[in-house]
Amino acid sequence: FLMIKRITRKKLDVEKYTNCLNTATNYRIYAEYWYLDALVGDNWDCYILNDYEAIMPLPYTKKLGIKFITQPIYCQQLGVFHGQNFSRNNFQKFEKKLHRNLVRGYSFNEENTEMYEPKGTSKVNQILKLNTDYQSFFSKLRKNRKQEIKIGLPDDYKIIENKHGLNFIELLENNYKNIEKDLQINKLKKLVNRLQKNEKSITISILVNEKTIGSSFYIFSNQRIIQLCNAKDNNTKLNTNTFIVDFIIKKNLQSELILDFEGSSLKGVNEFNTSFRAETKFFTVYKNLKL
């Protein structure tokens, strides 16, 4: 017997929800209840199969009391999270339910996209498997990236890793004036605080004379290290992200981890990730409303 019910965030059984997500074959940190809470507060519902056998979180925005399913910023992939041998029929029941909503945008995860081909538009993500040694990895890099890494950082520059993201946030605030300041920065700060509290993140920064000139914020999603955000000083000519990515790769090579670049359809970003030999994956974005 198959029953999918929709419940509000307030009525969510957090323990059962978390257990279902943690044992899912396609876990993503984006779907953690505290992650969504940090981004949208109580503004999300969830479709639940029977007694939390599968879950589908539904973040929404409200206008004139009407709910619109809307994918939040800093949350690349959601979708249906489930255990082994989840049938196409079950998946399609979730999908049909989603279609009955007003959907401004909803992102299914890569595994959903690969296995069940949900309706929607394909978006690009880029990932790099780290189960190799440095020599093999380095030999495959694109020529320009190799040269940069070989030359290395200037002597007075240093690269550090820390558990807090303060220098990253500061850099972002000072150099990206066009960021919709209150909305995006405040959401990001809230999320960064929560991720740090749960020990699910690290910041890698490049400093010169104790001043941060480049910084990236990474989050841990089980087997994935996700590059959530990066920032750099506008006056810096150095391609800081090359050294930050190289640093995180060196640190985690010969493991079962995957570096998730949160790939991009932006040409420059996509090419940068490809220069590290990141492979392309697809996730699906469904919408039935024009934004």
Side-chain angles (χ1 to χ4, degrees), residues 93-119:
K93 288 201 161 90
F94 274 99
E95 197 184 355
K96 276 185 188 133
K97 283 197 172 286
L98 174 72
H99 294 176
R100 289 188 197 128
N101 294 275
L102 298 170
V103 186
R104 280 190 170 144
Y106 187 80
S107 303
F108 288 95
N109 55 68
E110 289 157 35
E111 291 88 337
N112 284 173
T113 299
E114 216 166 284
M115 288 166 74
Y116 308 110
E117 300 158 337
K119 287 188 176 69

Side-chain angles (χ1 to χ4, degrees), residues 222-252:
N222 279 9
Q223 294 302 101
R224 287 181 182 232
I225 306 169
I226 301 171
Q227 189 178 52
L228 190 71
C229 263
N230 53 57
K232 116 179 220 196
D233 189 309
N234 287 334
N235 303 316
T236 301
K237 297 276 185 281
L238 186 80
N239 192 347
T240 51
N241 208 23
T242 294
F243 298 100
I244 289 172
V245 171
D246 186 55
F247 178 89
I248 200 106
I249 288 170
K250 261 188 195 136
K251 188 177 185 274
N252 293 285

Side-chain angles (χ1 to χ4, degrees), residues 155-160 162 164 166-168 170-171 205-214 233:
D155 287 345
D156 50 347
Y157 285 58
K158 62 177 178 181
I159 189 159
I160 61 160
N162 59 27
H164 61 80
L166 296 178
N167 40 6
F168 159 70
E170 208 176 297
L171 201 61
S205 304
I206 292 180
L207 277 63
V208 57
N209 302 327
E210 299 312 309
K211 182 183 182 237
T212 306
I213 57 156
D233 189 309

